[in-house]
């Protein structure tokens, strides 16, 4: 990505942070696998502000009721809301899921075929759907076919801002570029999962647990400094 400057020192710092959080949380990407691509896309939408356990519970109910995009596109909002109730923000997520399903059905998009396309093309098609966007497209490609990228979610943004790696106005593509330039392709899925876990358990949004943080000494935002 042009226009983003990254010093060797910054690369080394990012790499050190990522290695440390992977070691701390040892995430298991296999736990996130869902075979059917449409269901995988729904699970990613449900995962926003929801624990993995509640996503699983919601997906069990959703899969039992809806076999694919066509069924969701023609279902009532209430039945979708009811199916995904174990997930947080289910009222808001149901119309989004229905909107995405409607576009997939109307445009006759074959998600299996999208998954066989090169990354830029697959990402372009997915991001063109209202309600998907580049981050959701990236997370989908990462889990559904092991694309070796490093999508940035709100937890990762917050952690990177506090650690002085992301600027206040840093955008998605720029921070993704910084992390991908510093983390080897084979480690990126682990890095994504571990950084989210770090943001959920240690560097939480309100009152970060700095006393338990391994980056206390180097963090410009630590409340103990
Ligand atoms: S020291 Fe505190 S603010 Fe900094 S990364 Fe750790 S938990 Fe977050």
């Amino acid at each position: 990505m042009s226009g983003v400057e990254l010093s060797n020192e910054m690369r080394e710092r990012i790499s050190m942070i990522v290695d440390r959080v992977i070691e701390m949380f040892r995430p298991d990407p296999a736990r996130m696998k869902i075979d059917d691509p449409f269901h995988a896309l729904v699970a990613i939408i449900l995962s926003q502000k929801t624990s993995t356990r509640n996503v699983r519970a919601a997906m069990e109910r959703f899969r039992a009721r809806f076999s694919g995009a066509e069924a969701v596109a023609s279902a009532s909002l209430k039945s979708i809301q009811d199916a995904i109730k174990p997930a947080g923000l289910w009222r808001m997520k149901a119309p989004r899921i229905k909107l995405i399903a409607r576009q997939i059905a109307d445009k006759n998009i074959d998600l299996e075929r999208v998954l066989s396309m090169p990354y830029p093309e697959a990402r372009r098609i997915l991001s063109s759907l209202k309600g998907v966007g580049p981050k959701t497209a990236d997370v989908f490609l990462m889990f559904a076919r092991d694309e070796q990228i490093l999508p940035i979610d709100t937890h990762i943004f917050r952690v990177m801002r506090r650690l002085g790696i992301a600027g206040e106005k840093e955008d998605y593509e720029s921070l993704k570029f910084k992390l991908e330039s510093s983390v080897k392709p084979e480690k990126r899925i682990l890095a994504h999962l571990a950084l989210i876990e770090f943001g959920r358990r240690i560097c939480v949004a309100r009152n970060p647990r700095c006393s338990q943080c391994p980056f206390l000494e180097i963090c410009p935002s630590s409340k103990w400094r």
Side-chain angles (χ1 to χ4, degrees), residues 162-163 198 202-203 208-210 213 215-216 219 221-222:
R162 286 180 175 164
L163 283 164
F198 178 72
I202 308 281
C203 194
R209 302 183 178 120
C210 300
C213 179
F215 311 122
L216 188 63
C219 179
S221 316
S222 155

Side-chain angles (χ1 to χ4, degrees), residues 21 31 37 73 118 190:
V21 292
R31 289 177 64 221
L190 293 176

Side-chain angles (χ1 to χ4, degrees), residues 59-73:
M59 278 313 294
E60 240 174 68
R61 288 160 63 99
F62 186 88
R63 265 190 295 213
R65 291 182 201 193
F66 303 113
S67 54
E70 284 278 359
V72 178

Side-chain angles (χ1 to χ4, degrees), residues 74-216:
S74 55
S76 71
L77 206 52
K78 192 175 172 307
S79 65
I80 302 169
Q81 285 175 330
D82 188 58
I84 63 170
K85 246 176 200 168
L89 306 177
W90 51 271
R91 271 196 191 85
M92 286 162 58
K93 288 173 182 172
R96 186 176 165 201
I97 291 168
K98 188 171 162 74
L99 174 67
I100 294 167
R102 166 60 48 217
Q103 296 168 88
I104 292 174
D106 287 354
K107 295 182 183 175
N108 213 6
I109 294 174
D110 178 351
L111 288 177
E112 292 284 4
R113 207 172 83 76
V114 172
L115 284 174
S116 69
M117 293 172 177
Y119 171 65
E121 180 67 356
R123 189 188 202 227
R124 189 189 59 73
I125 291 174
L126 293 164
S127 311
S128 73
L129 298 172
K130 281 191 194 116
V132 175
K135 187 195 90 181
T136 305
D138 280 345
V139 176
F140 174 70
L141 292 169
M142 181 181 72
F143 285 125
R145 71 164 193 207
D146 294 331
E147 187 73 40
Q148 294 182 327
I149 51 179
L150 212 164
I152 310 295
D153 85 328
T154 49
H155 296 287
I156 301 179
F157 250 119
R158 181 179 66 254
V159 168
M160 291 298 152
R161 265 193 219 108
R162 286 180 175 164
L163 283 164
I165 289 160
E168 277 309 311
K169 294 194 175 158
E170 188 103 26
D171 66 18
Y172 177 86
E173 300 298 342
S174 154
L175 185 56
K176 177 171 174 279
F177 173 82
K178 280 185 182 173
L179 297 200
E180 287 179 355
S181 307
S182 314
V183 179
K184 286 185 184 149
E186 65 273 19
K187 273 193 198 171
R188 289 177 188 162
I189 296 180
L190 293 176
H192 171 85
L193 293 171
L195 285 168
I196 290 175
E197 213 51 36
F198 178 72
R200 281 182 170 161
R201 295 209 224 160
I202 308 281
C203 194
V204 292
R206 280 190 208 168
N207 297 322
R209 302 183 178 120
C210 300
S211 63
Q212 299 168 31
C213 179
F215 311 122
L216 188 63

